[in-house]
Each structure stands twice: as C-alpha cells, then as structure tokens.
Amino acid sequence: MAYRRNPFLERMSEKTTSDQEFVRLFSPKILECLPEDSFGGAVHLFTSPPGAGKTTLLRAFTPTALRAFWSNRLVQGTKTESFKDFVSRGVMHEQEGPQLLGVLLSCASGYADLPSGATLAHDGIFRALFDCRVVLRSLRSLAALLGMESTVELASVELRYEGAGIDLKSIPTTKSAVELVEWAEACEKGVYAQLDSISDVSPTGLPVHVRFESVLWLQSVRFLRDGKEVAPRRLLMVDDLHKLRKKQRAMLIEELVELRLHIPVWLAQRSIALGAELISQGARDGRDLRHYPLEDIWSSPREFEHYASNILDRRMEVQQAVPSVAFSAYLRDQLSQQEVEEYWQKGVELANKYLQNYRHSPRYSEWATHIEAHLSSPGIESLQAIAATQILIARDESKRQLTLELAPLSADELEDRDSTQVQRAAEIFNHDSLKTPYYFGLERLCILATSNVEELLMLAAALYDGIVARQVLRRQTDIQVSPQDQEKRIREAARKKRDFIPKNHTEGTRAQRLLDAIGAFCRGKTFQSNAPYAPGVTGIRISEIELFRLASESKRGTASLVTLQKVLAECVAENLLVARSSSASVARDGGTVYYLNRTLCAYFDLPLQYGGWQEVSLTQLVDWMEIGFQPSRQRRLGA
Amino acid sequence: MLWEQYVFQRGTKVQDLWERMYRDRREAEKPVKILYIAGRGFDVRANAVLEKYVESVSESACRIEKAELVLVGFSSYQLSQELQEQTDENAKILSSLFERLGSTTTVHIGANGEEEDISAASLLRQGNDQLMQLISDHTDIVLDVSSLPRIAYLSFMLALLQRLVKVNGNSYLLSGGGVTFQILVGEDARLDGKIQSEDPSNDLVMIPGFATALQAESMQDWPLVWFPILGENKNAQLQKVMEAVPLAAEICPVLPHPSKDLRRGDKLLLEYKASLFDSKDIPLTNVMYAHESHPFEAYRQLLTAMSRYQKSMSLLGGCRLVVTPLASKLITLGVALACFEMKLKVANSNYAVAIPNAEPQRYAVPLEELRKSEPEISMLILTGEPYQ
C-alpha cells in the first residue's frame, strides 16, 4: 500500500488496494454471516446501498486474494480466522491451498452502451460480449490461481469438457487454454472495433449468441495441469448489475436461473436497481434465485459492532502515525471531572429555575426533593436523573388535565414510572439543552454507521484526524480523544454528508429538502417536554394504503407522486433512509417505516435508537419535498 | 502533430478573421454553404457569438448559397422554470438572428419513451448520427460550444473531425475535403463560476469512440495513465471517475497555468488536496500545466505526454490513456484534439484512449448573472482552407 495519511479514507474495492493490503484489511466476520447455501448451485443476488461491502466480499474469492490469504494463513504460528473460514467452506484445502476458481466480472464495462432495442440481434450481442468476457476472465483467473505470470503459461493446462460443455455452439471446445484466450480476446476486440464508434451501431456483422454459454462452459470445463485436475470448484461473480439496462438485467437473471446451474453464481447490485420495489418491503426470493440484502445480514447490532471493530483495528495496524492499538482505545467514553463541571453549572442553573414552579407543589414536592437531592451530587448521571424526573412530571401534568388529583406523588411512584426509554430520552434532552456530548464512543460510532462500512470508515477517518492531532501536540498526556472532540468531528462529518447529498444523487436537491423536513419533523416530535415517543422519533411511517396509492398514482403519471416515489427509492437505495416493515395492529394497517440514516440523526441532533416513528401522508411528503418543512408550535422542555 | 500549424484567434481578431475569410470567398467567387451548430440552452453567450458571426458574414457580402442553423436540445437535464423559459427565449433569439442568413432546424437528444434507460453514450451516438445526416455539400461547418454541455460538444467535435480528417497513406489531411470546420467559444470566466452543476450521474458517460480503454476486458491488465484536467467545483464528478481508476494507475493532473488568476492553480491544488492528491498520493512532479485559454497549447502538452507514456509503456505490452476534462471549454477543446490524434494512430498499436465523464443532471444559475455576461469570443479552425 502506498503511503496513506489517513488509512480510513481508502475504499477497499477491487481496484484501489493491493492484494496483500486487502488481506490485512479484510474482516472475516462477514464470512461467518454468509448463508450456508450461498455456495450452492443457484443464482444468488446480493444487494445493498453503496459502501456496504459487496465488492469487497466478492473480491475475497478472486484468485489473487485467495493466494494472498493462503500465503498469510499463519500469524505467529496460528491459523488466521479467514483461513479457517475458507477451509470450512471448501474454498481452500489445508495443505493444497486455494481450490475455488472465483471469476469476477463487472457490468460497468459498456453493456449499457450496446445498441438498444428489443430484437434478437441486440440480445445476442449482449450475450456474446458477456460470454467472451467470462471465458477470458476465467482463464486469466486460472493463470493467477496457478501462480502464472501471464496467460501464455496456460500452455501447460489442458481443457476437457463433459456434460453440457460438449454441446456448446458459440464457444470453441478447444483443448488449448491459450487458443481459447486468443479466441476470447479476438471476439471482444472484434465487437469493440464496431461498438466503440462515434456513430450509432448497427447489429449486423456482430456476433450473436442465443444463450449465456459461458456459464455452461465454466461449470463443465475441467482444467488439467500435468494430468492433474486443478481448480475443481467454481464461483462466477458478477458485480455492478445495476449498471446494466433494466431489460439486460432482467434477461441475465432470468436466463441464468433457467439454466439450473450446479455452480454458484453471485450477482451483486446496488439497491437502487430494485427501483420502486424498495419502497415497500416484500419477499423477493424464488426457488432458484436467492436474495440477500447485505444490510440485513447482521442478526444484531452487536454483531455489526464486532465486524466494524475488527475493520477499524485492522486499519489502525497499517498506519504508523500513532501506536497501532485498538481503535476503541483512542476513544474516551467518559467525561472527565473538569468536563462535567462545565455542564453541571448550567444544569444546576436550569434545574433551580425549574424547581421554582414545583418545589412547593403539593403533588410534585417529593419529586422536586428528588431533584434537589441530585443537585448535591455533581455528575452526568445526576443531570440525567433530573431530566428524567422533569419528563415524568410533564407526563403526569399532561394526563391530569381533566382531573383534580392533588395527592402527592411518592419517590416509589417516580421509580415505577421511570424506564430505560425515559432515561434515554433524558440523555438526548440534556444533549439538546445543556450540550452534553452524546455522539461518542465505539458503540455509538457503530450505530451511526447504519450497518454500512463506507459510512463507518468516513466517520472513523474524521476521528482518526483527531487522534493524530493529539499525537502531534506532544504536550497532551492523554492519547484519547475526548467525548466533546469526538462529537464535534462526527457532527462535522454528518454535516458534510448532508451537504453532499445534492452533489451525489440524481434527485439530490429534493432528497435533501425531504430529509431536512423529516429531520425537523422528528425533532419537533422528539423534544416535547413529556417525551411522548421516548427516546425520540427518528423516522416516518407510510401506511400500506398510502404506499399502494403511491404506486398506482405513479403508474398513472401523477407528476408529484412519480417524483416522490423516485426520491424515496433513491434515499432508501443510498442508505439515507432505512426501510423497515411495520405490521398491522388493532389501531392501524401495516406499512413501512423509513428511519433516517443514523449519521443524519447526528446532524439533526436526534437519538440513535430505532423504534420511534410518526405516520405521515403522501401529501405531507410531497410538500416537504418541494417546499420544505413548515413548523408548528410545540411545547418544549424548559420553554 | 496534426495541428503543428494552427489557426486560433480571440476577441476582436475573430471578427477580423471572419471578414477577411468571407471577403476572400467573395472575391474568389466561391459560394458559401454554412451549417452552424449551436446548443438550444439557457446560456446567453451563444446569442452573442452568433450575433457577431452573422454580422461578419453579412458584412463580407459573400454569396451565401445556403445556410442552416441547427439547434441541439437536450431533454434529460433538470432546469428550473426560469432557466427553461430562458432556454425557449434563447432559441427564438438565435433563430431570429440567423434569419439574415438562412433557416433553423432543431434536433432533440434524449430518451424517447420506449426504452427509458438508454445510456447517455448511446444517445450521443444517435445525436452524432442525426448531425452527420444534416451535412451534405457544406463549405463551412461551425460548432458553437458556448451553450452545449461538455459531453455533447466533445462528442460532436470528435464526430465531425472523424468525418473531415482524411487518411492519406501514412499521414492525415486537414483540408477536410474543402470544408472549413470552426469551433467557437464565448468565454466568460465570471459566469462559469456562477453556473452550478449538480447531481452527477452515477454512471460514467464514455464519449463515443473513446470507451475501449476502460471497458475492454482484454485490456484490463494494461497499465493505465489518467490525466484529470482540473477545474473548480468538480469534486463530485472527479470522485465518480476516480472509482474506475485502478490502484497502480499513473496519475498526471493538469492544472491551468498560466491563468488570469495567478493563484488559480494553487486554489485547485487545495480544492483537490484530500480527494485526489492525498488519497492517491500523487507527487507534485506529476502535475502538468496547460495554458488556461490557449487550446492548442493544451493540445501540445497533452499529446506530448500521452505519446511519451505510450512509447515507454509499449514495452509492458500496451497501455491505456484516460483523460477526464473538468476544466474550461478552451482547455477541453485542446484536450479533445490530443485524444483524437492519439486515437487516429491506435489501429495495430497496443494502446487505447478513453474519455470518461460524470455528467451532471442539473444546472442552476441566477438569471441576472446570465444576463450580465459579456463573453469574449475565441475561434479555432481545425480543417479547411487554411490547411490547404
């Protein structure tokens, strides 16, 4: 790896890092979460927003990466986790090394620029180009797997065919690997000599294939070197499926499924390709097509945290600016006495002002005493307890509007009414009123990443700058970044993310306006003095009826709803909104909840827990998207 | 070099050259048949350029046998209502300005309903075809790039050059079969800074004819040299193209220097420090400098660099040369000339040239800023009489 100032800035996609570096940075935790049947003979579709790790996962199975894992299989005499995982799945052999020929192709290579039109010739050219590339990439991958410098050395490899491979019409069933490489190169060059033209291309004269024969070739060809079979297992991986035209994508998936392959074919695409389907959660699996949304691969937040932590620590190991210890070691998760003091003074002032109205209240006198008791023990926990009590008082007040109960509430009653949710609400309320740090620590960093590796690295990069800054200022005895500094850097990164939305998305300006409105709406609902939706609202819900209306009106071409559907789909595809299904209950129909991306929650100063949402109508969403949020008056804590 | 000798003028000298050129035609009793291609867009600079052109041609009193104005419109860009209205108004102004010489035709480039996700490269190829069909026995083809999007004018320019530059054994003729091909640019750096281009497409657009280097599987193992031609506020677009650039690529950023703003190069270095220079660890010795407003200077710089890399890397079996123009129009034109010339020699050679772009979907600019524009005209003649 070339010298890099911030190791968290680098994306570990196919092109940007060396294989050795890839192996060092690759976290095997994701392998443990792969479904068992993902190596079975079928078409497996992996989807996710950008940055979730699809290409990284696919790259791990390419020959050069597998060879790198093989040569790094022992660390201080102990087998690495990655090696053990590969052996358990038959990808590697304990003694003989890599057994799997992983062939990785990207669809971001001109298929979408092929002549368009619904004719057999156009479809045939797509298959022909795909086929010659699969064959070429397979043979190059084989050369890499066998440690050869170039495909010329494939002269020592003999090809034999069995089963469906004998019946291939478009791919020559030659025994010579070198000849087949030459055929594939010539085929592609011939296609490109005509295709890469300045004017429109006619399909006449271009090769036309009637089926995706390359996949049949890959599953049936045997590679023999010095009489011994090599690379007995195969895996075809096709990345960037979203770069194909809709019809090409549908055709590829459909025809691959129909081939009933007995080798696994992994297709990876960004969620954006699912289009309007993304907006409503529905089953997409079929018998021979298995769909794995990568963001759902983690069974719990804790599991993602382990994965994330592993990634961060590996990146720390490859930098030299600061000692290579665990990333979490640099993130202080407690406020110091001195730091607490600055918030304490303000908290005491506000609490005393608040108590003026309740100290002598017959109903709340005991609870007020509880607050006063906390005022004599400085600390963040006391501030939180005070805020929690204030919330509970506000709740009691709002329920009492039609009664005249004057009986005092006891301390036991306070304890009974308290809950984790109220405590969490108290924490975010203190963050809002006293500016106590909230977005800090490894656990919160992982939540902010919204199950997306790229987001995790973006936030970690910001924190790393803080870590290095402390190192540079050598007078600092404490190497850890303070909670305030962590929060400041995280919020700055969140601001950049929010500001970058119009520059990075097709409907970016509308998306930003909609997200800003959702953020403001959620804030309005969260920071009500009685915290009715504790710990807070971080999402909106659209009912099934409204979703159905959205789909049908969009088909009819109602402009505003067509745009809304597109904006929502893009927000979900790009991980700006996280869609979760919401089941029906006695009081309401089913629907879908769209939670704000957790980093955006940091921008809007919202809590990070899921669960709090409010139902909205399509009309409201269209208004927010076009005009922005129009606030209404709300009673706020302390107002 | 094809354009070892070249014709390039700026400012008032442009009109002097036009007057001289068309007066000579009048004196030689040669008929003039003009095809003037311009963008049907919101940018008012095209109006100023056309006005000056029509004025000069009329004053020369040459015999105009036919003259056609082709306005090229695009349906896939998102514009505010104001800019849409300005676009319609500009179209009317351009038509009425050209009435003295001839008629106006409009060509639309965009998806036509049946296949909504037709790629931008396919649309550009179709656009090229539509324009080529309009060319018949014209003596003068004028391409005004002032209000055309970058991918459009690059595509049209390269298509026209491919048609006009003829092979003659081992060399190439710039006589163009007697067709004088001019490119006009109305430059206003102040206005350029006010036009915001937003929402870059997630898909890279490859200029037709310049895709193989990045797309062909058979070339994936060839070393790659990337020349990002840097301009202000293009970070998002640069990031999109950078995703296609492999780790081992040699990167040679091009900065505009000399420049009217003496600090322009420094500002660009700062703007792209984190996203390009730091993340790719590019040494400053790799940086190239091209004159901000002299396209043939940029052409020479880039062509020399590309030829040098191609020659050294041929020892490794082949190389891919990738150019991403993100700078002003004049530099972009020079860069396109270099790419065109490199491509001419590509047959039977182990190298390929690609021009990827991340095209913005939306443009925004305050109307008052547009209307205040006072562009300076620049003119390049690429084929025709001067080269005979």
Side-chain angles (χ1 to χ4, degrees):
Chain A
M1 168 166 145
Y3 168 71
R4 201 153 278 110
R5 292 178 181 87
N6 191 325
F8 299 94
L9 284 178
E10 196 56 38
R11 284 187 67 209
M12 209 174 41
S13 63
E14 185 183 1
K15 299 181 191 342
T16 57
T17 48
S18 69
D19 292 303
Q20 290 300 327
E21 192 183 320
F22 176 83
V23 162
R24 285 173 78 183
L25 298 178
F26 180 77
S27 169
K29 303 278 178 210
I30 195 170
L31 296 177
E32 293 162 22
C33 295
L34 274 182
E36 278 306 318
D37 63 355
S38 54
F39 287 87
V43 178
H44 307 267
L45 178 64
F46 293 89
T47 61
S48 78
K54 298 182 294 300
T55 304
T56 303
L57 174 63
L58 266 51
R59 185 180 172 182
F61 292 92
T62 55
T64 47
L66 287 177
R67 284 179 64 84
F69 280 118
W70 170 250
S71 44
N72 289 288
R73 64 192 180 279
L74 295 174
V75 171
Q76 294 178 345
T78 311
K79 292 178 196 167
T80 61
E81 281 176 73
S82 310
F83 177 66
K84 285 190 238 176
D85 280 320
F86 284 132
V87 167
S88 70
R89 291 185 186 270
V91 172
M92 278 203 213
H93 187 274
E94 287 259 10
Q95 281 82 42
E96 291 174 21
Q99 300 296 300
L100 179 86
L101 177 65
V103 180
L104 176 58
L105 273 181
S106 170
C107 291
S109 46
Y111 295 106
D113 299 335
L114 292 175
S116 59
T119 68
L120 292 171
H122 289 130
D123 292 346
I125 298 166
F126 171 47
R127 291 191 199 97
L129 192 57
F130 183 83
D131 281 345
C132 65
R133 283 174 171 171
V134 168
V135 170
L136 187 52
R137 181 47 55 188
S138 299
L139 293 170
R140 284 187 169 172
S141 298
L142 180 66
L145 192 69
L146 298 176
M148 296 172 175
E149 293 291 328
S150 75
T151 50
V152 170
E153 292 181 53
L154 284 173
S156 61
V157 173
E158 186 192 338
L159 308 179
R160 283 198 200 152
Y161 303 89
E162 57 188 33
I166 302 170
D167 196 31
L168 298 172
K169 301 281 185 288
S170 311
I171 297 176
T173 47
T174 170
K175 283 187 183 173
S176 163
V178 174
E179 272 180 29
L180 199 54
V181 166
E182 285 167 1
W183 168 84
E185 283 178 349
C187 181
E188 190 191 41
K189 274 186 186 151
V191 169
Y192 259 88
Q194 290 200 58
L195 276 185
D196 192 15
S197 90
I198 284 176
S199 53
D200 214 6
V201 178
S202 155
T204 49
L206 289 168
V208 164
H209 290 196
V210 296
R211 56 179 180 168
F212 287 106
E213 287 211 337
S214 54
V215 197
L216 293 171
W217 171 85
L218 184 62
Q219 90 172 351
S220 57
V221 71
R222 290 171 64 210
F223 304 112
L224 285 98
R225 189 189 195 188
D226 301 328
K228 190 179 168 205
E229 185 166 8
V230 293
R233 292 191 65 189
R234 316 286 158 80
L235 169 63
L236 176 63
M237 299 176 283
V238 183
D239 199 5
D240 301 318
L241 219 71
H242 51 280
K243 300 277 187 183
L244 296 177
R245 294 202 297 265
K246 269 186 234 168
K247 284 182 184 166
Q248 289 173 329
R249 194 160 54 239
M251 185 178 103
L252 179 67
I253 294 175
E254 191 186 321
E255 292 190 17
L256 286 179
V257 168
E258 279 169 9
L259 287 174
R260 297 273 197 273
L261 300 162
H262 56 256
I263 60 168
V265 175
W266 288 5
L267 308 177
Q269 71 179 20
R270 286 191 184 173
S271 311
I272 192 90
L274 295 168
E277 288 174 48
L278 265 179
I279 298 180
S280 45
Q281 301 288 289
R284 293 184 202 99
D285 276 354
R287 190 172 51 139
D288 297 299
L289 173 66
R290 286 139 212 206
H291 178 208
Y292 313 111
L294 268 190
E295 60 274 23
D296 295 342
I297 214 170
W298 311 105
S299 56
S300 67
R302 184 60 65 186
E303 204 168 36
F304 179 77
E305 192 184 320
H306 284 144
Y307 174 54
S309 207
N310 194 257
I311 290 174
L312 297 175
D313 293 345
R314 283 169 183 266
R315 297 241 171 184
M316 285 301 284
E317 281 169 20
V318 299
Q319 55 80 47
Q320 281 107 39
V322 296
S324 300
V325 298
F327 189 76
S328 55
Y330 286 103
L331 305 180
R332 180 149 55 85
D333 56 7
Q334 302 279 346
L335 290 168
S336 68
Q337 196 72 11
Q338 209 177 344
E339 286 161 351
V340 168
E341 188 54 36
E342 58 184 269
Y343 304 113
W344 179 253
Q345 293 304 327
K346 190 172 176 197
V348 165
E349 199 185 306
L350 287 174
N352 280 326
K353 206 169 153 188
Y354 177 82
L355 280 172
Q356 283 170 7
N357 297 328
Y358 294 97
R359 194 173 269 124
H360 303 296
S361 155
R363 182 159 175 85
Y364 301 117
S365 54
E366 274 201 49
W367 287 14
T369 308
H370 180 80
I371 291 177
E372 279 174 330
H374 278 293
L375 284 176
S376 54
S377 343
I380 287 294
E381 296 77 16
S382 294
L383 289 173
Q384 194 167 308
I386 292 168
T389 309
Q390 289 176 311
I391 290 169
L392 292 170
I393 289 175
R395 282 187 177 181
D396 187 73
E397 281 184 322
S398 63
K399 280 184 200 158
R400 279 181 53 239
Q401 280 164 6
L402 297 176
T403 66
L404 281 169
E405 285 181 47
L406 295 173
L409 292 167
S410 67
D412 287 341
E413 188 70 38
L414 179 68
E415 204 176 310
D416 286 342
R417 292 189 192 189
D418 198 359
S419 66
T420 318
Q421 304 293 67
V422 170
Q423 287 296 321
R424 285 176 178 167
E427 191 187 358
I428 194 71
F429 276 29
N430 277 346
H431 169 72
D432 191 55
S433 57
L434 304 177
K435 307 301 172 206
T436 52
Y438 180 82
Y439 306 105
F440 64 94
L442 181 72
E443 189 186 335
R444 294 236 161 118
L445 173 66
C446 295
I447 295 171
L448 285 161
T450 323
S451 304
N452 187 286
V453 175
E454 195 173 290
E455 292 218 33
L456 174 76
L457 293 176
M458 183 259 301
L459 294 167
L463 292 172
Y464 179 77
D465 284 342
I467 295 169
V468 170
R470 291 192 74 80
Q471 186 77 14
V472 165
L473 297 169
R474 292 187 192 280
R475 282 169 290 162
Q476 305 282 342
T477 49
D478 179 11
I479 59 163
Q480 291 185 313
V481 182
S482 68
Q484 291 94 325
D485 197 17
Q486 290 175 53
E487 176 162 284
K488 184 177 148 204
R489 289 175 186 277
I490 283 172
R491 294 195 67 211
E492 177 57 23
R495 185 194 63 76
K496 282 183 185 161
K497 180 181 173 77
R498 177 257 172 203
D499 289 349
F500 201 60
I501 294 171
K503 296 182 172 49
N504 206 34
H505 300 92
T506 320
E507 286 285 354
T509 307
R510 285 194 170 95
Q512 189 188 56
R513 209 179 291 133
L514 178 65
L515 292 166
D516 282 350
I518 293 173
F521 173 74
C522 289
R523 277 190 61 81
K525 295 294 178 186
T526 298
F527 294 104
Q528 294 180 51
S529 57
N530 58 341
Y533 314 107
V537 173
T538 59
I540 51 131
R541 181 182 188 270
I542 305 177
S543 68
E544 258 175 31
I545 295 173
E546 288 279 71
L547 285 171
F548 181 74
R549 187 165 83 86
L550 179 64
S552 52
E553 291 289 332
S554 300
K555 277 189 189 135
R556 273 190 223 128
T558 311
S560 57
L561 292 180
V562 168
T563 309
L564 177 66
Q565 189 179 53
K566 197 172 164 199
V567 170
L568 274 178
E570 194 165 280
C571 284
V572 173
E574 300 286 327
N575 213 31
L576 297 170
L577 289 173
V578 177
R580 292 274 181 271
S581 62
S582 164
S583 25
S585 70
V586 172
R588 58 170 194 257
D589 341 309
T592 303
V593 180
Y594 300 93
Y595 289 105
L596 282 170
N597 171 287
R598 300 293 96 172
T599 306
L600 290 180
C601 286
Y603 175 77
F604 296 117
D605 273 323
L606 289 167
L608 297 179
Q609 294 85 0
Y610 290 91
W613 48 263
Q614 285 286 280
E615 189 139 320
V616 296
S617 65
L618 294 182
T619 312
Q620 255 179 306
L621 289 173
V622 169
D623 284 344
W624 288 353
M625 183 181 70
E626 299 295 355
I627 305 166
F629 180 68
Q630 307 294 316
S632 58
R633 296 179 68 158
Q634 296 278 356
R635 183 176 164 212
R636 289 181 53 119
L637 184 69
Chain B
M1 271 184 202
L2 276 183
W3 289 279
E4 187 80 41
Q5 313 290 333
Y6 56 84
V7 179
F8 173 63
Q9 293 287 6
R10 299 192 65 141
T12 53
K13 289 182 184 173
V14 174
Q15 282 187 279
D16 294 341
L17 179 56
W18 279 331
E19 281 158 22
R20 205 162 60 239
M21 212 164 78
Y22 291 111
R23 198 174 49 238
D24 289 349
R25 301 269 188 93
R26 186 195 70 208
E27 285 166 7
E29 290 181 10
K30 286 184 186 169
V32 171
K33 300 174 194 175
I34 300 170
L35 180 69
Y36 192 105
I37 304 166
R40 189 182 185 283
F42 60 81
D43 202 323
V44 300
R45 287 176 279 189
N47 305 355
V49 173
L50 182 64
E51 190 179 0
K52 296 264 185 311
Y53 179 77
V54 168
E55 195 184 298
S56 301
V57 171
S58 303
E59 279 178 14
S60 71
C62 62
R63 183 162 63 93
I64 300 174
E65 250 185 43
K66 73 175 171 185
E68 282 168 77
L69 168 65
V70 177
L71 293 180
V72 184
F74 302 88
S75 52
S76 46
Y77 291 101
Q78 292 170 36
L79 301 174
S80 63
Q81 188 59 30
E82 276 185 338
L83 288 184
Q84 200 52 59
E85 285 165 9
Q86 183 65 47
T87 301
D88 294 335
E89 194 187 317
N90 283 349
K92 286 185 193 145
I93 293 171
L94 289 168
S95 293
S96 78
L97 284 171
F98 201 77
E99 262 172 6
R100 283 164 80 176
L101 301 183
S103 60
T104 302
T105 310
T106 302
V107 163
H108 279 287
I109 295 181
N112 57 4
E114 236 190 68
E115 195 152 351
E116 292 167 4
D117 56 352
I118 188 167
S119 72
S122 299
L123 288 174
L124 286 174
R125 277 203 292 265
Q126 287 174 9
N128 287 342
D129 267 358
Q130 287 178 281
L131 283 183
M132 295 306 116
Q133 279 163 24
L134 294 172
I135 298 173
S136 52
D137 54 349
H138 295 88
T139 58
D140 291 76
I141 298 176
V142 182
L143 177 65
D144 178 359
V145 307
S146 309
S147 64
L148 281 168
R150 190 191 316 274
I151 53 170
Y153 70 74
L154 281 177
S155 183
F156 299 156
M157 170 188 170
L158 292 165
L160 288 164
L161 282 174
Q162 190 186 50
R163 181 165 171 142
L164 297 172
V165 174
K166 302 293 180 204
V167 180
N168 180 25
N170 285 336
S171 61
Y172 297 90
L173 296 175
L174 294 182
S175 52
V179 178
T180 301
F181 175 33
Q182 304 178 44
I183 299 186
L184 308 181
V185 185
E187 280 261 35
D188 181 347
R190 187 199 60 83
L191 178 58
D192 280 340
K194 302 284 182 194
I195 298 177
Q196 297 296 318
S197 50
E198 290 170 354
D199 299 350
S201 166
N202 280 320
D203 297 322
L204 288 185
V205 180
M206 309 298 294
I207 299 296
F210 293 86
T212 309
L214 275 186
Q215 291 180 351
E217 176 63 34
S218 46
M219 294 179 191
Q220 287 304 304
D221 294 340
W222 289 2
L224 186 145
V225 186
W226 181 37
F227 299 92
I229 321 292
L230 301 179
E232 288 79 1
N233 302 319
K234 300 286 190 295
N235 224 324
Q237 293 171 45
L238 184 88
Q239 296 288 322
K240 298 273 183 204
V241 177
M242 216 152 76
E243 288 169 14
V245 175
L247 168 71
E250 180 79 353
I251 302 177
C252 303
V254 179
L255 292 178
H257 181 77
S259 167
K260 269 188 196 157
D261 174 2
L262 296 175
R263 287 275 184 220
R264 192 177 175 205
D266 295 338
K267 288 175 190 168
L268 284 169
L269 274 176
L270 284 172
E271 185 177 344
Y272 293 98
K273 180 180 181 302
S275 56
L276 179 64
F277 290 92
D278 284 355
S279 71
K280 293 291 183 188
D281 202 32
I282 299 171
L284 289 178
T285 46
N286 270 26
V287 173
M288 292 168 47
Y289 302 95
H291 198 296
E292 175 187 69
S293 32
H294 199 315
F296 289 99
E297 171 69 17
Y299 153 73
R300 283 166 192 234
Q301 292 275 22
L302 193 65
L303 184 64
T304 308
M306 289 205 283
S307 302
R308 210 170 51 235
Y309 272 110
Q310 182 266 317
K311 198 172 163 188
S312 350
M313 290 189 175
S314 61
L315 298 169
L316 298 171
C319 83
R320 299 178 284 164
L321 304 164
V322 177
V323 179
T324 304
L326 297 169
S328 62
K329 290 189 167 86
L330 285 172
I331 293 189
T332 301
L333 292 172
V335 157
L337 293 177
C339 294
F340 174 77
E341 188 164 335
M342 285 302 291
K343 183 154 182 188
L344 280 181
K345 302 169 203 165
V346 91
N348 303 322
S349 299
N350 276 350
Y351 72 93
V353 185
I355 310 178
N357 270 280
E359 185 64 11
Q361 314 270 315
R362 176 198 302 276
Y363 287 98
V365 58
L367 268 186
E368 10 358 309
E369 296 294 340
L370 263 185
R371 288 175 183 151
K372 275 196 287 192
S373 176
E374 290 174 7
E376 184 182 48
I377 303 178
S378 297
M379 178 243 264
L380 298 73
I381 299 183
L382 299 178
T383 69
E385 276 186 4
Y387 299 96
Q388 278 169 351

